[in-house]
Amino acid sequence: MTPAAAFDVLYARTAPALVRQAYLLTGRRTLALESVERAFHLAWNRWPEVIADPDPIGWVRAAAYEYALSPWHRLLRTHKHADKPPADPADRILMDAMLALPPVHRRTVLLYDGIGLDLPDTAAETEATTPTAGSRLLRAHAALAARIPELSAVPPEKQSAVLRHRLGALRPAVPLEPRPAAAVRGSGEHRTRLLGRSVLGLTAMIAAATAYTVATAPTEYIPPLAPGANVSGVPPLSGPQHLTERSRELHDKLRNDPEAGPARIAPGVE
């Protein structure tokens, strides 16, 4: 089987269920479809790693859950509000109760009660210890039982079975059909090509900027000029007094006719 054919088989077997699980995590159809497609894009880009993994489905599921529960989606207008709630009142109560849980508790409930993983596998996929995963599950069951009458009427040891049945029977009010495998694989390859071109363009810009800086940078150190400062104790600038009109006339007369006048102006040698 070629890598593309193996990818298509994995996608066909797991994508519909993963879209439904991502919808139960987020309550948003667009985000659920986007999360699963991004997870399979990542899987196709790392296909040798994914196909060698002992649990390829778990690899893709973890990537889809991480993307679906990312807090950055709250900043996007398209993902701020949940979709139309389910038509059945019981399904609507269950969906509201699930979305009211903290994201890590929601993920733990879906893995343990919705999918049926055991507690160690649930703890491993949520990156927690087994006691921590068990504590989260108990707190999530208590929070769900406070909002779901059907769950509060059964003892705690039977709540997992009731939740598994209710999560599996929930009917969303929006369609959750994923795109064909070939389209997802092609869009992933297109994103990879665009990312490669962007990286090459950014690298070329950095190289050009570096070359321009090297060419225009000074080759020796030029010390900066010291800033000016006030100096105290220095007398103000002084000089000869300005000549009046009368003084200027006398000055010019002495310069033009130095030997005329009294003997004291041009003394002789005795």
Side-chain angles (χ1 to χ4, degrees):
M1 185 178 295
T2 63
F7 174 88
D8 294 350
V9 170
L10 178 64
Y11 183 87
R13 290 181 179 177
T14 60
L18 284 178
V19 171
R20 178 182 174 84
Q21 295 165 25
Y23 175 78
L24 293 175
L25 284 177
T26 62
R28 295 158 176 82
R29 171 183 178 272
T30 304
L31 181 56
L33 293 171
E34 183 180 334
S35 302
V36 174
E37 287 196 10
R38 290 295 182 89
F40 275 100
H41 289 170
L42 187 62
W44 181 238
N45 291 335
R46 303 181 182 178
W47 188 245
E49 173 187 347
V50 175
I51 202 62
D53 193 275
D55 184 14
I57 299 177
W59 195 101
V60 179
R61 180 177 62 236
Y65 283 16
E66 288 292 337
Y67 186 88
L69 296 177
S70 174
W72 296 106
H73 298 311
R74 302 173 185 174
L75 303 178
L76 301 177
R77 182 178 301 178
T78 55
H79 299 325
K80 280 186 177 181
H81 305 288
D83 292 341
K84 181 181 178 181
D88 186 18
D91 290 344
R92 190 181 310 119
I93 292 174
L94 175 61
M95 196 71 194
D96 293 340
M98 283 289 293
L99 295 179
L101 293 175
V104 65
H105 290 182
R106 203 181 314 157
R107 184 174 182 176
T108 303
V109 168
L110 187 59
L111 290 173
Y112 186 82
D113 298 321
I115 299 177
L117 298 184
D118 58 12
L119 196 58
D121 289 342
T122 301
E125 192 155 326
T126 56
E127 298 181 352
T129 62
T130 302
T132 300
S135 177
R136 290 173 178 173
L137 191 64
L138 292 177
R139 290 198 297 268
H141 284 180
L144 291 174
R147 299 174 64 101
I148 304 174
E150 181 182 358
L151 194 63
S152 61
V154 299
E157 61 272 11
K158 296 183 179 180
Q159 289 179 350
S160 291
V162 174
L163 275 175
R164 185 171 306 170
H165 171 72
R166 292 292 295 112
L167 290 173
L170 188 144
R171 292 173 294 178
V174 292
L176 298 176
E177 293 82 6
R179 293 199 300 165
V184 174
R185 179 162 37 84
S187 62
E189 294 172 353
H190 180 65
R191 286 176 57 87
T192 302
R193 287 193 297 267
L194 289 181
L195 181 60
R197 293 173 184 173
S198 301
V199 171
L200 289 177
L202 181 60
T203 303
M205 290 178 59
I206 294 176
T210 303
Y212 176 80
T213 302
V214 171
T216 58
T219 57
E220 58 182 8
Y221 175 71
I222 301 176
L225 297 177
N230 295 328
V231 180
S232 59
V234 178
L237 181 64
S238 60
Q241 299 294 328
H242 292 286
L243 297 178
T244 62
E245 192 65 27
R246 176 61 180 168
S247 300
R248 188 176 291 105
E249 292 178 359
L250 293 176
H251 184 269
D252 294 340
K253 185 176 181 180
L254 290 174
R255 281 182 174 276
N256 295 333
D257 196 8
E259 296 184 357
R264 63 184 180 82
I265 295 178
V269 180
E270 297 181 354

